[in-house]
Amino acid sequence: METPGLIVHGEAAPFSTALRSLVNNPLYSDVRFVVGQERQEVFAHRCLLACRCNFFQRLLGSEPGPGVPSPVVLSTVPAEAFLAVLEFLYTNSAKLHRHSVLEVLTAAVEYGLEELRELCLQFVMKVLDVELVCEALQIAVSFGLGPLQERCVAFIEAHSQETLRTRGFLELSAPALLLLLRSDKLCVDEAELVLAARSWARVGAAVLERPAAEVAAPVVRELRLALLAPAELSALEEQNRREPLIPFLISPKT
C-alpha cells in the first residue's frame, strides 16, 4: 500500500522576497489601480488579489474586455496605505509606519483583511501618543473596534490636558467626544473641559456651516456644570451670552 504523501516546505524568505518584487511592478501585471487624491497609478496581478481577498475577488470578478482595460479607481485610500495592503497580500507581511498606520488599518477593515487589521491594531497600541490618540479613537468608534477604543480612552484619561490641545481632539465626531465627556477619570478641571468643548464646537461649526450651539447640542448635556466654582459659572454665563453654546434651561448634570 502506498504511503501518504508528505508536504515539504522550502525556505519562506526567498519566496517572500520574490513576491515582494512584484508589488507595483508592471511586469505581467493585468490590472491597474488609480489610488488616492494624488491619483497614483499602481500595478497589480488580478489572480493574486482575488485569491487573497474577497473584496478584490468581487471587485475584479468580471473578465477584462479586449484592448487595454481601464484602471480601477480607488480614490479614498492613500497610495502609501494601498501599497502596504498590496505588500501584505503578496507576502503576508507589511512594513508599518506611525504616520500612515491608521490609513492602513482603515483599508484593512474596509477590505475585510482581519489578519492585517489585527497587526495594525497591535502596532497602533505600541506607538500611541498624544498626537495620534484622537485620530485612533475616531477610527475605533467609526468601525466598532472595542479594544482600541478602550485603549485610547484610557490613554486620554492619563494625558487629558495635552490631548485637549491637539488638532485631533477638535476633529473628533460627537459620538467620540461623548465617550470622553462621560468618563469619570479625565485628569482635567471641568472648566477646562467646557472650554475644550467650546473650541470643538467652533471648529465643527466652521466645517459644517452650522451654528456652534447646534453642533454642540449632542454633547453639552454631558458637561458637569454643577462642578464649576461660582466664579467659573458666572464667567461661563457671560461668555454664553456673547457666544450662545449651552442652553441654561437644561439642568446641569450632577
Side-chain angles (χ1 to χ4, degrees), residues 23-162:
V23 176
N24 196 20
N25 189 336
L27 182 65
Y28 307 125
S29 169
D30 56 0
V31 61
R32 291 180 300 132
F33 295 91
V34 172
V35 298
Q37 297 301 312
E38 61 270 48
R39 297 186 60 81
Q40 179 174 328
E41 188 176 48
V42 175
F43 297 93
H45 303 81
R46 184 182 297 265
C47 64
L48 197 151
L49 299 188
C51 74
R52 286 279 285 152
C53 176
N54 289 335
F55 171 85
F56 287 109
Q57 185 179 65
R58 294 189 298 270
L59 183 67
L60 306 173
S62 58
E63 289 293 327
V68 179
S70 300
V72 179
V73 178
L74 297 174
S75 59
T76 59
V77 56
E80 183 178 353
F82 187 72
L83 288 170
V85 170
L86 289 191
E87 182 183 7
F88 179 79
L89 292 177
Y90 279 65
T91 69
N92 213 42
S93 64
K95 188 173 184 178
L96 299 176
H97 302 274
R98 179 195 169 281
H99 70 272
S100 60
V101 63
L102 294 178
E103 294 166 340
V104 180
L105 172 59
T106 298
V109 172
E110 291 178 342
Y111 299 164
L113 298 171
E114 295 185 5
E115 187 176 8
L116 180 57
R117 181 195 65 188
E118 292 304 311
L119 292 172
C120 288
L121 288 173
Q122 294 171 18
F123 184 86
V124 170
M125 291 184 186
K126 288 180 180 178
V127 302
L128 202 62
D129 60 20
V130 168
E131 295 299 326
L132 191 67
V133 67
C134 285
E135 189 178 353
L137 175 61
Q138 185 59 62
I139 289 175
V141 171
S142 297
F143 292 112
L145 304 174
L148 179 59
Q149 179 176 302
E150 293 173 7
R151 178 73 181 89
C152 289
V153 171
F155 184 95
I156 294 171
E157 288 171 343
H159 304 84
S160 304
Q161 289 187 333
E162 304 97 312

Side-chain angles (χ1 to χ4, degrees), residues 178-253:
L178 282 170
L179 279 176
L180 301 180
L181 295 181
R182 289 169 179 162
S183 170
D184 293 323
K185 299 178 181 179
L186 294 176
C187 299
V188 64
D189 293 336
E190 199 66 22
E192 293 179 72
L193 197 56
V194 172
L195 289 175
R198 183 179 290 277
S199 296
W200 172 86
R202 286 173 180 155
V203 171
V207 172
L208 300 174
E209 298 183 345
R210 293 163 48 194
E214 183 180 329
V215 173
V219 304
V220 293
R221 292 176 180 271
E222 298 300 324
L223 296 172
R224 297 176 172 94
L225 303 183
L227 298 180
L228 296 176
E232 292 172 332
L233 189 56
S234 296
L236 180 59
E237 289 174 337
E238 177 60 30
Q239 187 175 23
N240 203 63
R241 279 192 287 270
R242 298 194 307 269
E243 183 185 10
L245 182 73
I246 303 171
F248 278 93
L249 293 177
I250 299 175
S251 300
K253 179 182 174 181

